Amino acid sequence: MLSKYRWWRDAVIYQVYVRSFLDSTGDGVGDLAGVRAGLPYLKKLGVDGIWLSPFFPSPQHDHGYDVADYCDVDPLFGDLAEFDLLMADARRLGVRVLLDIVPNHCSSEHPWFREALAAEPGSAARARFHFADGRGPEGAEPPNNWHSMFGGPAWTRVGDGQWYLHMFASEQPDWNWRNPEVGAEFDRVLRFWLDRGVDGFRIDVAAGLFKHPALPDSDDPEADARTRDSVNPLAWNQPEVHEVWRHWRAVCEEYTDRDGRERLLVGEVSVPTAREHALYVRPDELHQAFFFDLLSAPWDPGAFRKVISEAMQDIAGTGSTVTWVLNNHDQVRTVTRYGEPATEGSGLGAARARAAALLMLALPGAAYIYQGEELGLPEVVDLPDDVLTDPIFRRTGSRARIRDGCRVPLPWSGQASPFGFTSGAETARPWLPQPSYFAEYATDRALADTRSFWHLYRDGLQLRASLPQLGEGTLRWLDTPPGVLAFERGDGLVCAVNFGTAPTPAPVSGTPLLSSGPCPAGVLPGSTAAWWLADLRTAAPRT
């Protein structure tokens, strides 16, 4: 049954990568007290809620996505009392809080996995995971030819000769969701945090969980090591996963029915098409699922129009709304991704990133912002090998897909590292080194400069909250010259983006309501987006 409480349908959520947000203890790692201290900043920015990266007890082989205990706080980040204080402050400020839950795999130090290692082959303890005998002489070869998403084989051998499956790092054994004990344990986990007041969950690897029961060889064994469009279908997007999301939705609805406050489930769903994506956001499954096609689209008006149109047709057609995203903790930041080496130093990547932000905020549905996106942070591409922590680098030796560059701690103030990130001495070292040029992007400078990324995001969020044309709804494409993309929202709100570098006539007369760069009346400069409203007198706040 569809719930009547709909705040999530056009919400803007800010992703907090906890260890890189703000450090309150001086150890160089961000923590929950740091998040609590930063809540007024996020409230001022204008977001509706925050999504916290995993802060549970973990050996940190994959920075918390290897969970050893799903119902506690790692001392690195604080404790449950600090979490409760964070929840109380967020509730007072009207900021919703989502937790990052990791149901596909756990840590090799999770008590259940340690129990499985100590148990015999065929035991009930091993049945909670995927243990199997090897192939070849003396079982010395893995049970099948699957590859890990982080590179290398997806199997590791244990002392008694069996192998266990891990679609990511070897320290992250995959749960066997065909075992009912696993589902029951996650019921307990969900209720533990819902009882502490959280507003929902971001679900890691939401298309994973179930593997083909026979664990057969893949026709394309290296698919998982490439892109989400070619993931191993034997280990991904199995039909049984939808029953899990129906059950989790029912659990959330149970809490909503108690107090009228809807809890949100948003999935990291990596599937090849918008049509497959839409299956995850049917009325009785996940409320939202990140639509990554916009993030992965090249800087081209045809490509953007295609993925937006497919999302509006296939996803919005389910009755859900599209969940747009341009950045996250696994992707190269837009400022760098949209830049071109031949124009380094020209600011082209930054101009395009600003334009893309206005485009995203004008689209129907919900949007997620990754920390530092609102500051215009670029990817840190020159981190030395000896500071890299990404398990992808450890497993492959390649820097090609590593994620450290978008996870460097935020700059808050000052002219030198740690830029106010840590409360320790000025010589304190953040867990990843901050480049000297981060001084240009520090939060205090951004707030003081009305031309900054921060003010563009803040102004866009304020207008999005006040104009009835924005948020949930539909769009209508407008005819434009080559290189320009434009659409109308509601009655008279127009968003246009010039993907080229040369100015072009604006599709709407008059001065823009908001633009990503200088935009004189009648002209849309290159690499610029703008919003126009035909008659501001008709605008009324959304309810």
Side-chain angles (χ1 to χ4, degrees), residues 199-511:
D199 296 282
F201 303 93
R202 178 266 187 186
I203 305 166
D204 190 58
V205 194
L209 278 63
F210 285 86
K211 280 68 180 173
H212 190 290
L215 300 177
D217 275 347
S218 170
D219 293 335
D220 188 6
E222 296 189 8
D224 288 317
R226 297 201 302 269
T227 70
R228 68 182 188 84
D229 292 331
S230 58
V231 292
N232 180 354
L234 301 171
W236 218 259
N237 202 23
Q238 295 285 301
E240 297 90 337
V241 75
H242 295 282
E243 289 304 319
V244 176
W245 307 139
R246 290 188 183 99
H247 178 70
W248 284 27
R249 178 68 174 258
V251 171
C252 288
E253 295 287 355
E254 174 190 325
Y255 280 78
T256 297
D257 289 342
R258 292 181 192 174
D259 59 14
R261 185 165 58 86
E262 188 170 27
R263 276 65 168 187
L264 168 65
L265 297 173
V266 54
E268 182 193 36
V269 174
S270 299
V271 290
T273 67
R275 185 164 298 176
E276 290 173 278
H277 180 113
L279 297 177
Y280 286 82
V281 292
R282 289 175 287 192
D284 61 345
E285 294 195 38
L286 303 177
H287 301 80
Q288 298 178 335
F290 297 118
F291 185 65
F292 293 121
D293 292 50
L294 187 67
L295 181 154
S296 59
W299 184 253
D300 174 80
F304 269 60
R305 178 165 177 165
K306 178 177 184 293
V307 300
I308 293 168
S309 296
E310 288 177 351
M312 294 301 299
Q313 173 181 315
D314 294 328
I315 299 171
T318 66
S320 181
T321 54
V322 186
T323 305
W324 308 101
V325 58
L326 289 171
N327 294 273
N328 65 35
H329 65 294
D330 289 331
Q331 302 294 331
V332 175
R333 291 185 179 274
T334 48
V335 169
T336 301
R337 197 165 75 237
Y338 292 149
E340 297 179 357
T343 59
E344 187 174 355
S346 70
L348 182 59
R352 289 173 171 176
R354 290 170 64 93
L358 274 195
L359 169 66
M360 179 181 72
L361 293 176
L363 290 172
Y368 281 68
I369 297 169
Y370 176 51
Q371 67 179 41
E373 177 180 340
E374 82 284 5
L375 300 175
L377 283 182
E379 187 84 355
V380 181
V381 298
D382 56 355
L383 292 168
D385 287 357
D386 61 356
V387 304
L388 296 178
T389 62
D390 194 323
I392 295 175
F393 180 70
R394 186 177 72 249
R395 289 180 64 84
T396 67
S398 169
R399 301 173 65 99
R401 296 168 53 233
I402 61 172
R403 302 161 295 170
D404 289 302
C406 66
R407 301 177 176 184
V408 175
L410 293 184
W412 289 87
S413 60
Q415 298 298 315
S417 183
F419 297 111
F421 164 71
T422 176
S423 62
E426 288 299 310
T427 56
R429 297 180 61 183
W431 71 278
L432 280 175
Q434 301 160 304
S436 59
Y437 62 77
F438 262 31
E440 304 171 26
Y441 301 93
T443 300
D444 60 349
R445 293 184 61 171
L447 267 65
D449 182 0
T450 58
R451 301 165 299 174
S452 70
F453 266 81
W454 192 91
H455 280 274
L456 178 71
Y457 274 79
R458 196 278 306 271
D459 293 348
L461 290 173
Q462 286 187 340
L463 286 171
R464 182 182 166 98
S466 64
L467 296 175
Q469 292 92 335
L470 295 174
E472 185 179 356
T474 60
L475 63 77
R476 181 174 67 88
W477 294 108
L478 302 179
D479 293 333
T480 57
V484 176
L485 197 64
F487 54 85
E488 182 181 18
R489 296 294 319 280
D491 182 17
L493 191 289
V494 171
C495 174
V497 183
N498 184 353
F499 283 75
T501 56
T504 187
V508 177
S509 61
T511 302

